Every structure is written in C-alpha cells, then in structure tokens.
Amino acid sequence: MTEYRNFIGGRFCEPTNSFRIDVRNPATGEVFASVPEADEATVIDAVAQAAAAQRQWRVLPAIQRGDALRRLADAIEKHAGRIGEALARESGKSLADATGEAIYGVELMRYHAEWARRVEGEIIESDTPNETLLLKREPIGVVACLIPFNFPIYTLVRKIAPALITGNAVVVRPSNTTPTSAFVFAEAILDADLPPGLVNIMAMSHEVCRTLCTQPQVGMITLTGSVAAGQAVLDFCKTNIAKPSLELGGKTPVIVEPDADLDAVAAAIIAAKTAHCGQVCTSAERLYVHASVHDALLEKLRQGFAARSFGDRAVDAAAMGPLATAAARARVHALVERAQAEGAKLEAGGVLPDGPGFFYPPTLLSGCTQTMEIVRDEAFGPVLGVLSYDDFEQALALASDHQFGLSSVLFTENYRKVMQAADRIEAGELYINRFPADPYQGYHAGWKKSGLGGDDGKHGMLEFTQTRLVILKH
C-alpha cells in the first residue's frame, strides 16, 4: 500500500497515534490504502500554524497571492496524472474522468488567481460634511474546508482558491471515503512553494472535526455535504459565531414541455442521471413530463436505462461506475423498494447485482406522486422518479413544492415559459435545455435546505471576506 501522511505546516507529518482510516475501491470493495487519523492535538497545532501563516499572507499585495495561485495551478497540472490515479481508485471514476477533474481544478485555480486585482471595496457618500465612508473587504482568517466524496478534488479547489486569493489560510478535511487524492494534491502544494501552514490537509474522525471547527482562530466553515452535515456545521459555528457557507442536498426537478425534442431529452437525462452513478448534488431527481408526451418519453427512457451498462470503469471506462459505499447502495435500494410499496412502477433496474463492488443499475420509476418518499428525499444514486402533469402552471408549482432548492431544469422552446420559470422557480439555478454543469464564473447557491451562501464567481469569492467601514473625517 502507498503510505499517506497528513500535510501540516508545509510538510508531511509522521502520525502521532496508531489510528488509521481504511480506504476502499468501490468497484471491488477491497481496501487499497489506509490513511492516518489526526488527533485533537494535531488539529489544534494545524490551526495554530494556519493562523500564523495567515497573518503574513494577508498583508501581501494581492497580486503576489495571485502569482502564488498560478504557481499552484501549474503544480496541480504537473501532478494531475497521479492525482487522477488516486481519485480513480478511491471513487470508482474512470482514469480519464478523474484526471479531468484535476485538470478542471487547474482552470478553476487560474480563474481565481485573476481576482487578485479585482477584490474591490466601495466609497460611500456621508451625510456629514467633510467626511467620506470607505468600505473595505478583508479576509476572515482561518477557514475550515470540509470536502465531500463525490468530487473531492474539484470541490477542494473550489473552496481553497477563493479563500487564498482573499487572504485567508485553510485547514482541509477531505472525506474519509476519498482522502488519498487530497494527499497527492498536497504534493502540488509543496511544489508550489506556498508559505508553510497556509494550506493544511488532514483526515480525521467526526469528533475531531468538531475540534477543528470550534477552534477560536476558525472564522469560517465551508461545507459541501448533506443536510445533516450542514446542521452539524451550524452547531459548530455557534461556538465562535463563525461564518457558515453550506452547499447541501438537492432534488433537481426536470420539466419537459410538449415542444421539447424527446430524443435529445432522453439522451441528456440518461447521461446526466448516470454520471458518477447519480452521486451529483445537481443530478436529475424528479422528472415532470407533460401528459401529452409522457408515455413517449417514458418508453425512450425505459429502453435507455435498461441498455446503460455499469461496471468497473478501470476495465470499461464507458460503463457507469459504483456507488461510494456499501451503505450508500443499501440505502438507495431500500428507497427503491419503498417507492414500489407506495405504488411506483419499476420500469428498469431496481435490483442488487451479484459480484464485488458497490454497483447499482440505472433505475427508472413511473407512476410517482408528489408525496412519495422517492420524490421528497434525495436519492443520490442512479434512480429517477417520473411524474405526469397537465399544464405548465402545475409543473412550476410541483417543481417548487420541495424542501430543496439547488438546481432546476426546463426543456422547452417557448421563451415565455422560460421567463416564467426564471421569475418563479424556487431554486438557486435554472438550466434551460441542458443539464447542470456549474459554470465557475456564475454563482452556485441553494435555496431552502439546499444551503447558505454559495460558490463560484465574484459572489462566491466574496463569501470569504468580511467588511470594515472606515469613517474618514477630513
């Protein structure tokens, strides 16, 4: 097995205890690595080193911070192949997809480097004569970055790049399901010659994560994860009144109007629903189809879902890969079984396959209703429930009648309906005639239980700042 160590203070550190976290290849179910589990003392030391590094980092001219991010982007590009290899093993992605995720991180890092000259404050008119108000943007300090398992490298960059360019230091906790790629990523940090302690990466238990997030120097906690994880983070934030930034669950509604190209829609749905085995926060989860085209689209989807292959992507890169864990597969299968018990009809999939790995077939359920669990709760797997509607007003109402509000999708050529949805859909994103793939110059932010704050673009970058108002008498 490859030896992995926590990255603290600009170096890979020897473990201070014997606790390890096993990492499994989800395509085989076999343990292929173990990583050291940081203890409380190690985490406390890492936060202290991050705070010390941040005091020096924040006073650098922003252009120098941008230059450092460009060096880091170059180093990630250099290590992309090795990062991809680790990511493919721990996630079940194909090597091409995993390496592509690292390369996308390169572009994301370079994008944020360009904000060095664009972090702006404001000059505000005062009501008092001979006085000017200056609103400055300042870093927060130390940011705890909690990374999910589904896109561990992309999300890591998505959090640390805006944090660093705005003058913060970071302590990163990768998912215990997919930590090895983060430690290979740390080699790029070392190559980029960033200040020691500016970026720290450690695997840890949930209990030690609480210690990390409640250290006095931690001024912000950013998480991509489940609603339950977000609620835990909000609890952590209470200790220091730290700023939360949370991207949580999603249940993307897809509305298909009668004028849509059904062949194109079916192909897009199958591709989107089976990408990374449905483990995408913006994956299609609820399909609302106009009654006049419901049966025709359902038949296309039934054939497509049944034909979609799944298996070890190290053997067949074109196949759909596995779910992350055995527990995730068991949860998804139980959800499908309960949906059938509630009256949904199984059109494709829905069985536990034999053999090793955590595979689950693309699964299509028709006859779903708005009150079913399969419609109300996030599946986070290759499962899609289909519902019929009679008019566009009803479709909009059903799409917005939900606890989540992350992404939404509309297929139509009617611009009036597009604008109605743009004005009324209760979600942070609306995609027209395409499926979600977050543009990093946009703003990825959820409504309702889908989160607080957001990622990407100017507004995502400013999440990592706080303001100081200077009242200047002259």
Side-chain angles (χ1 to χ4, degrees):
M1 290 187 184
T2 303
E3 180 68 23
Y4 295 98
R5 291 177 291 170
N6 289 314
F7 185 74
I8 305 166
R11 62 189 181 90
F12 290 97
C13 302
E14 292 297 328
T16 56
N17 59 49
S18 60
F19 297 118
R20 311 284 295 187
I21 298 168
D22 287 340
V23 186
R24 294 183 183 273
N25 181 335
T28 65
E30 296 177 351
V31 174
F32 74 89
S34 69
V35 299
E37 184 179 299
D39 57 21
E40 288 193 348
T42 301
V43 164
I44 292 169
D45 176 60
V47 172
Q49 293 201 50
Q54 193 270 336
R55 286 191 288 272
Q56 300 300 316
W57 178 252
R58 71 179 302 277
V59 298
L60 290 177
I63 191 61
Q64 292 185 27
R65 296 199 294 268
D67 290 342
L69 263 63
R70 279 183 277 273
R71 292 199 308 273
L72 181 53
D74 292 343
I76 299 168
E77 190 170 37
K78 171 185 170 184
H79 289 271
R82 292 192 59 247
I83 294 170
E85 289 173 359
L87 178 55
R89 280 194 302 270
E90 69 188 6
S91 69
K93 296 180 181 182
S94 70
L95 180 59
D97 281 357
T99 304
E101 183 174 332
I103 294 298
Y104 195 53
V106 172
E107 298 306 314
L108 189 58
M109 186 67 71
R110 287 173 176 155
Y111 168 80
H112 281 94
E114 296 305 315
W115 280 106
R117 293 187 174 99
R118 296 174 177 85
V119 182
E120 300 173 343
E122 299 175 34
I123 299 175
I124 304 169
E125 289 293 324
S126 173
D127 292 341
T128 303
N130 301 316
E131 185 175 270
T132 301
L133 309 181
L134 309 176
L135 187 68
K136 296 169 62 66
R137 288 278 178 179
E138 299 288 349
I140 291 173
V142 177
V143 180
C145 302
L146 312 183
I147 309 302
F149 70 83
N150 56 343
F151 293 96
I153 293 300
Y154 169 64
T155 312
L156 190 157
V157 175
R158 195 183 211 178
K159 295 185 184 302
I160 73 169
L164 295 178
I165 199 62
T166 49
N168 302 284
V170 297
V171 179
V172 177
R173 188 236 178 158
S175 166
N176 289 345
T177 304
T178 54
T180 64
S181 57
F183 291 123
V184 180
F185 182 93
E187 296 176 12
I189 297 169
L190 202 57
D191 276 4
D193 195 29
L194 297 186
L198 189 67
V199 180
N200 307 273
I201 300 175
M202 296 172 291
M204 66 193 75
S205 68
H206 295 322
E207 293 76 17
V208 173
C209 184
R210 174 182 287 274
T211 299
L212 162 64
C213 293
T214 54
Q215 289 305 294
Q217 303 99 318
V218 172
M220 179 176 177
I221 308 171
T222 175
L223 162 81
T224 298
S226 67
V227 172
Q231 290 167 335
V233 165
L234 288 176
D235 187 51
F236 300 159
C237 288
K238 291 191 296 186
T239 301
N240 299 320
I241 316 297
K243 181 178 183 178
S245 179
L246 309 174
E247 189 216 304
L248 307 179
K251 192 72 178 176
T252 299
V254 180
I255 300 173
V256 180
E257 277 286 281
D259 62 339
D261 180 337
L262 297 189
D263 287 328
V265 169
I269 288 172
I270 293 163
K273 185 69 259 185
T274 59
H276 198 26
C277 203
Q279 299 169 118
V280 185
C281 59
T282 55
S283 178
E285 290 254 348
R286 299 176 281 149
L287 179 60
Y288 298 98
V289 186
H290 192 275
S292 65
V293 294
H294 174 275
D295 292 352
L297 181 58
L298 182 64
E299 179 57 29
K300 295 177 186 295
L301 292 173
R302 181 189 299 115
Q303 294 178 18
F305 270 59
R308 184 72 171 93
S309 64
F310 62 92
D312 188 342
R313 301 191 71 198
V315 177
D316 180 5
M320 184 185 75
L323 289 163
T325 64
R329 183 172 72 164
R331 189 188 73 80
V332 168
H333 186 56
L335 189 64
V336 171
E337 289 187 317
R338 289 195 296 271
Q340 293 177 80
E342 287 187 83
K345 181 183 177 183
L346 184 66
E347 301 284 352
V351 296
L352 285 171
D354 295 327
F358 311 134
F359 298 102
Y360 198 75
T363 298
L364 184 67
L365 294 161
S366 66
C368 297
T369 64
Q370 192 74 1
T371 58
M372 288 181 178
E373 180 189 23
I374 194 69
V375 176
R376 306 308 298 177
D377 290 346
E378 186 175 27
F380 218 66
V383 178
L384 181 63
V386 183
L387 302 86
S388 177
Y389 69 89
D390 295 318
D391 61 70
F392 191 63
E393 287 291 324
Q394 181 190 18
L396 282 180
L398 291 171
S400 295
D401 174 26
H402 211 277
Q403 63 177 324
F404 294 126
L406 190 56
S407 289
S408 58
V409 178
L410 171 61
F411 284 96
T412 185
E413 298 300 323
N414 186 319
Y415 79 91
R416 289 186 175 86
K417 290 180 178 178
V418 168
M419 293 311 300
Q420 288 174 41
D423 286 343
R424 293 166 52 191
I425 199 80
E426 294 179 8
E429 295 176 336
L430 173 63
Y431 289 80
I432 308 299
N433 295 327
R434 59 164 285 196
F435 274 94
D438 307 324
Y440 52 71
Q441 67 270 46
Y443 186 49
H444 180 63
W447 291 21
K448 305 176 187 179
K449 287 186 179 178
S450 287
L452 294 170
D455 297 298
D456 301 333
K458 172 184 177 180
H459 300 288
M461 180 268 297
L462 292 178
E463 289 282 334
F464 292 85
T465 67
Q466 56 191 346
T467 58
R468 180 188 298 114
L469 181 65
V470 178
I471 300 90
L472 178 62
K473 191 73 177 174
H474 49 80

